[in-house]
Amino acid sequence: MTSLSKTLIAATLATLVTAPAMAQSDGITAASTRGSTLYGTDRSGPWGDSAYTFALKVSTSIYKTVNLHRKKNGLGELEADPGLGVVAGAYSGDMITGDFFGHFAPDGRDLGARLAEANLAHYDKVAEILWDASDQNIDWRIEETVRSSVTDWLRSPEGHREALMDPEARIVGIGTAIRDERVVITMLLGSR
């Protein structure tokens, strides 16, 4: 992974309580994490037999790893939030298919807009952290992708560690998307 390109960005968005939203009644299925593939197709590649399985296992392993770090630091574990998982997975997929990376989509949508579109604007506070890796030399082992992303977030001077270790954070949604030589992970941490 000598030429592995990793970009880290963190931002926190405080969302005011405006009106009760019903994310579950809008067809959002319960899931703690999301895996995405390009246009919903599943195929084999350097990640193994299934892109979807790889992405889902990465998201699930990150969820467990972050909770271990929080517990080790005397913080409560994060509860998986289905709505945040859907938004995180969709945004990772958008970044892969749109070939961009950052907290603002090319059309100008930010986290607040994405939460509102999913009827999730009722959260008190949501932090978004992103991780991106692209190169022909990516180590496609699940445990290596998880280790790299979580380690980068914990060592980041840009607010990632603070978001992961925020004592007010109670819920989380994680989405991983892959395509060719690129992995994008979105994690949303919040409170209700």
Side-chain angles (χ1 to χ4, degrees):
M1 281 204 247
T2 57
S3 61
L4 182 62
S5 165
K6 296 175 192 151
T7 307
L8 300 170
I9 299 176
T12 302
L13 172 72
T15 313
L16 299 175
V17 177
T18 55
M22 297 187 292
Q24 301 311 313
S25 66
D26 288 340
I28 296 174
T29 58
S32 61
T33 56
R34 293 286 178 204
S36 301
T37 59
L38 182 61
Y39 304 117
T41 59
D42 195 13
R43 61 188 176 91
S44 62
W47 47 80
D49 291 338
S50 169
Y52 178 80
T53 299
F54 177 87
L56 188 60
K57 285 183 178 181
V58 165
S59 292
T60 302
S61 294
I62 287 173
Y63 172 71
K64 292 175 182 176
T65 302
V66 166
N67 272 332
L68 286 173
H69 282 282
R70 287 179 59 88
K71 188 174 180 180
K72 192 165 68 172
N73 285 279
L75 299 170
E77 290 187 4
L78 298 167
E79 177 186 331
D81 183 273
L84 291 181
V86 169
V87 173
Y91 193 55
S92 288
D94 287 350
M95 286 187 280
I96 284 282
T97 59
D99 200 25
F100 72 94
F101 184 76
H103 294 287
F104 292 90
D107 64 4
R109 286 181 309 125
D110 63 2
L111 176 59
R114 294 190 304 274
L115 291 172
E117 288 169 5
N119 285 332
L120 299 177
H122 63 283
Y123 293 111
D124 295 330
K125 177 177 154 180
V126 178
E128 176 179 73
I129 59 176
L130 308 173
W131 188 83
D132 175 72
S134 57
D135 195 278
Q136 294 178 8
N137 297 319
I138 291 175
D139 185 335
W140 286 102
R141 292 177 294 172
I142 292 166
E143 64 276 3
E144 192 57 32
T145 301
V146 171
R147 185 198 61 74
S148 293
S149 59
V150 174
T151 298
D152 286 349
W153 286 330
L154 289 172
R155 291 182 179 168
S156 170
E158 300 173 6
H160 297 90
R161 180 178 180 77
E162 290 79 7
L164 288 175
M165 298 299 161
D166 182 352
E168 294 179 15
R170 300 278 187 260
I171 54 177
V172 66
I174 305 165
T176 300
I178 63 173
R179 181 179 68 187
D180 303 326
E181 285 110 21
R182 187 171 181 214
V183 178
V184 176
I185 301 168
T186 301
M187 180 185 293
L188 302 176
L189 303 107
S191 59
R192 294 182 212 153

